[in-house]
Amino acid sequence: MRVTVRTHTVRGTTTLVRDYLPERPKGSPLLWIHGGGFAGGDVDMPESSVVARRLAASGRLVRTLRYRLAPDFSGETPLVLGSAPGRYPAAQDDVLAAFIELAAAGPAFLGGASAGACIAAGSAIRMRDEGDLIPTGLAFVYGLFHSRLPAHSDAEGQYLTTITDAGSRRWMTRMMLNYVGVEALLTNPQAIPGEGNPSGLSPVLILDAEHDVLRASGKRFAQQLRTALVPTAERVVAGAEHGFFNNPSSPHFEQGMTILRGWLDQIDHGNRQ
């Protein structure tokens, strides 16, 4: 199916969005948020552009956006904390502006990958708390949802238990602290959704990569969602590593796309009944 791409800014903001418009649209649109550790990534990376185009080619309008990025946190020098351009809630404000505009015509999905999944989940919790529009469904791909990497159990496989080392934990904590900028916000569920009660959210897809240290966070968040009685589908792409949506030539990309597309269609179908 032919796809037309249009770029514009959300009315009243400087938030740039890119809409992938199918020739024959069907189903609810999706706002899709790229990853990049909160401090990197863009709308041209495959995780954003190729995923959006492929979903649009199947008939679903997809919107991506260029949200504000947090400061670079690479290296070993101590983080400079406090407010800074791109730190929370800047990216979330951009997402909410783009989503509210997209959903003005009717129900819409919200989702993202990696750090984008965290931003999307926090945005959904904020909408729940503030009584704003509620997404028709939430799709989170190899996301991270906690301020510190949850522990793995032996039942989750030898691979995960061996790679979840102290270095991985320090890196994740550094990344999350760089995103929020203030230690007190590490327990704020609107910023870091796994740190609170996710009850009241719309149906969720948790799609993880088998060989990904961050799968511990996705698995833990899925448990929290089910405990909160949120309809939750949890899927794992066998053999995949973190970021498989950035490699469109990989069979893991195709597997992930099939799962994501099928879940979106399933939720749409259920809403029509």
Side-chain angles (χ1 to χ4, degrees):
M1 185 183 298
R2 186 169 65 89
V3 174
T4 301
V5 181
R6 295 178 183 167
T7 301
H8 70 280
T9 55
V10 176
R11 179 176 297 180
T13 75
T14 59
T15 303
L16 183 103
V17 297
R18 181 180 291 177
D19 290 341
Y20 293 77
L21 306 165
E23 187 175 14
R24 296 182 298 278
K26 61 181 181 180
S28 302
L30 165 69
L31 176 61
W32 179 249
I33 317 301
H34 69 77
F38 304 101
D42 56 50
V43 293
D44 294 317
M45 63 194 294
E47 185 179 87
S48 179
S49 62
V50 179
V51 169
R53 187 176 289 275
R54 290 284 295 275
L55 288 174
S58 69
R60 186 176 304 279
L61 187 158
V62 181
R63 168 172 288 187
T64 64
L65 82 156
R66 184 171 294 148
Y67 60 85
R68 285 170 285 178
L69 300 176
D72 177 50
F73 67 98
S74 60
E76 296 297 328
T77 58
L79 295 177
V80 178
L81 300 182
S83 62
R87 279 193 168 139
Y88 175 84
Q92 194 177 95
D93 288 344
D94 295 339
V95 167
L96 290 174
F99 182 80
I100 290 170
E101 183 185 76
L102 182 66
F109 288 99
L110 176 61
S114 194
C118 180
I119 296 169
S123 298
I125 288 175
R126 181 170 158 188
M127 283 189 274
R128 178 203 66 184
D129 293 346
E130 296 179 357
D132 289 331
L133 289 170
I134 300 298
T136 193
L138 300 161
F140 305 136
V141 180
Y142 44 79
L144 57 157
F145 308 96
H146 301 87
S147 58
R148 292 174 175 80
L149 192 63
H152 296 285
S153 68
D154 291 338
E156 291 171 331
Q158 182 180 2
Y159 183 89
L160 282 176
T161 58
T162 55
I163 65 173
T164 308
D165 56 16
S168 298
R169 294 180 183 279
R170 285 195 300 270
W171 170 83
M172 181 167 170
T173 300
R174 178 180 174 86
M175 175 176 59
M176 302 308 280
L177 183 56
N178 181 65
Y179 168 53
V180 296
V182 181
E183 288 194 12
L185 286 173
L186 291 174
T187 58
N188 183 337
Q190 290 188 1
I192 304 180
E195 302 302 324
N197 183 349
S199 63
L201 296 184
S202 48
V204 173
L205 169 68
I206 299 284
L207 176 57
D208 280 325
E210 180 182 14
H211 300 316
D212 181 5
V213 66
L214 297 184
R215 181 155 72 93
S217 186
K219 185 177 183 66
R220 174 62 183 144
F221 194 49
Q223 293 170 342
Q224 292 173 271
L225 289 162
R226 286 191 291 266
T227 299
L229 303 181
V230 175
T232 303
E234 187 179 4
R235 304 286 185 269
V236 176
V237 177
E241 297 181 355
H242 186 83
F244 58 78
F245 270 165
N246 271 317
N247 185 7
S249 64
S250 164
H252 303 131
F253 179 95
E254 295 298 334
Q255 293 169 29
M257 285 298 301
T258 297
I259 294 170
L260 175 58
R261 185 169 51 242
W263 181 83
L264 292 167
D265 290 344
Q266 177 185 342
I267 298 299
D268 265 335
H269 178 74
N271 289 339
R272 289 194 297 267
Q273 291 182 329

